[in-house]
Amino acid sequence: MFKDKVRVNLKAGNGGNGKVSFYAGQKPSGGIGGDGGNIYLEGAIDIYDLSFINQDQTYKAENGIEGGTANHKGAKGKDLVIKVPLITKVYNKEGELISAINKAKERKLLLSGGRGGLGNYFYRTKGLDNLRKADQGGEGEDVGAIFELELFSDVLFIGFPNAGKSSILNALTNADSKVASYAFTTLNPILGRLQGITLMDLPGLIEGTSEGKGLGKGFVKHTR
């Protein structure tokens, strides 16, 4: 089912904790924890809507790994890249725009992972009281967000119901839009590709669409 708006929960990775360890002779050797993974959004032309996301789905990047002995730094948590259709806008729960993906393969940082905590090797010159001191990793950023899609196309078919828009789209592209001899056969926007050009078939518009008649104005935003 076509979906152009969905709520998600996003959490970047936490930083790994610093390590407490010692060389022979009780010399501090604990390393720094790895940074938590970031969350990125990336534009994709082969994804046409947000139906692959369940409402209130949670996405998490990996946490950083705890620091090691011999002053070895913990591994960084794996970044998470979420591929989204064009054009996807991201709002926080207050309705403020926090990011937008407008181009194919465009990648933007959405949330940063937490910094790794310092190990006791860092505190080796900070006095005897700090020889066993190590810091916890920082918290990764998180947000409750709304993904909203405004479909992008180079060519847009707008017209009355049952006027042949879907037939034209199917003939020109790889689309498989439903065709039948009754009005409002097309209930959702349908995209197709023709030699690198994106074409879109919108549900039929009738007089009074802006007042909610027919399928209403739910898809009008896709005509911008």
Side-chain angles (χ1 to χ4, degrees):
M1 182 177 69
F2 178 83
K3 189 184 295 184
D4 60 6
K5 189 174 184 179
V6 65
R7 290 192 310 267
V8 294
N9 300 304
L10 305 170
K11 176 70 168 67
N14 296 333
N17 294 333
K19 181 76 171 179
V20 175
S21 65
F22 295 89
Y23 294 116
Q26 293 300 298
K27 295 180 180 180
S29 68
I32 300 172
D35 295 340
N38 302 322
I39 294 183
Y40 296 88
L41 294 184
E42 183 177 302
I45 60 174
D46 56 351
I47 303 175
Y48 300 126
D49 72 331
L50 300 171
S51 59
F52 66 98
I53 300 176
N54 295 322
Q55 187 80 321
D56 295 317
Q57 185 169 340
T58 297
Y59 286 94
K60 291 183 179 180
E62 286 187 352
N63 295 333
I65 303 300
E66 181 184 48
T69 60
N71 194 31
H72 288 155
K73 184 174 182 178
K76 183 184 184 301
K78 185 178 179 181
D79 295 332
L80 175 64
V81 179
I82 305 173
K83 293 188 177 183
V84 293
L86 307 179
I87 298 170
T88 296
K89 296 183 177 180
V90 183
Y91 299 88
N92 61 22
K93 289 185 176 179
E94 288 70 44
E96 300 167 329
L97 179 67
I98 56 178
S99 189
I101 300 297
N102 300 289
K103 300 177 182 178
K105 298 184 179 180
E106 176 182 39
R107 181 178 291 189
K108 289 185 177 180
L109 175 65
L110 190 60
L111 297 175
S112 296
R115 298 295 298 272
L118 297 171
N120 69 335
Y121 181 83
F122 175 84
Y123 291 104
R124 68 193 184 284
T125 63
K126 308 298 182 182
L128 295 177
D129 293 340
N130 292 309
L131 292 185
R132 291 187 171 274
K133 182 175 180 180
D135 299 332
Q136 289 188 327
E139 284 282 326
E141 294 178 331
D142 66 276
V143 68
I146 297 172
F147 287 8
E148 187 163 347
L149 173 64
E150 289 187 12
L151 287 171
F152 166 82
S153 65
D154 300 292
V155 177
L156 182 65
F157 298 152
I158 297 178
F160 294 112
N162 208 220
K165 301 185 300 298
S166 297
S167 297
I168 295 174
L169 184 70
N170 288 345
L172 293 176
T173 74
N174 59 351
D176 187 22
S177 185
K178 183 178 179 181
V179 176
S181 58
Y182 54 83
F184 299 114
T185 308
T186 301
L187 300 177
N188 299 302
I190 304 293
L191 296 177
R193 297 278 293 174
L194 172 64
Q195 298 177 350
I197 298 172
T198 301
L199 298 85
M200 179 165 60
D201 173 24
L202 273 186
L205 303 179
I206 64 173
E207 186 175 353
T209 292
S210 62
E211 300 168 359
K213 294 182 180 180
L215 291 180
K217 54 186 179 181
F219 301 117
V220 173
K221 66 182 178 182
H222 300 302
T223 67
R224 294 182 209 180

